[in-house]
Amino acid sequence: MVLAGVGGWLVQALPDITSNLIAAAIGGVLVWSATNARRRFSLAGARRFWRAVGGRHPLIVLGAHDFGPRRRWARAGVVGMGDIGALVEIEAQLRKLGRTGKILESRQLPPADLSADLVLIGGPLANTVTATMLAKLGEVISYGFAEDPDHAAAVVRDLKSGRALAPQYDEPGYPVSDYALIIRAPNPLAPETSELVIVAGCFEHGTAAAAETLGERKFLRMVRKLKHFEALVETTVVNGTHYHTEVVEIRRIPAG
């Protein structure tokens, strides 16, 4: 009798159970679709930016400082924490798109790879490949770097006006602000086939801030119609950490 009653109940309840299961399945599919659509939309700018850089495997090149006589403690050179932070940020941006990059120190880059798709981290004082590419791009870019011997650092120079944009320092001589450049241009050694991305600050704080800015949706919307460009950013530095980065100006790099 009990089994018969249970069986009867199941027969009567089966349509409701089936309907609930179908509704739950449809709801799950809708939630997954909406989540996936939001993710794809949020990554649209990043996908557009990185699409032409290296297919799936660009070369990521960073520089190591050479401290002269003290180099015996770090013969391979010393990479600043800001440059490491920039590297982690760039790798994270690529991973979100299912891409990876091969990491090399600038002095280890084979000459043949200078014509590849490159992501350069760090300014010309530390990264020799950045120095080479900025010199080659001299006729098409309007920003560059110049040395600041008073602080053993660099300043951003506006090549149009000749104006120097220098970090500010506190009384002991530590930077309290920094400038950086984000450059997307054809690789001047293979302009028809390879792309170049540079994130470089006067100090490492600016380099890290530039890499983070490159991953922001607001910035990517600002450059979505520019295939090649140069952007000047400024960041505040407090106790060696950068905060509140602002995009000062974006300039189009003309085709050809």
Side-chain angles (χ1 to χ4, degrees), residues 24-42:
I26 292 174
V29 170
L30 290 175
V31 169
W32 177 85
S33 299
T35 301
N36 192 50
R38 283 197 299 269
R39 181 177 180 276
R40 289 183 63 84
F41 178 77
S42 67

Side-chain angles (χ1 to χ4, degrees), residues 124-140:
L125 296 184
N127 191 324
T128 57
V129 182
T130 299
T132 298
M133 293 303 174
L134 288 177
K136 296 290 185 182
L137 289 170
E139 295 184 359
V140 298

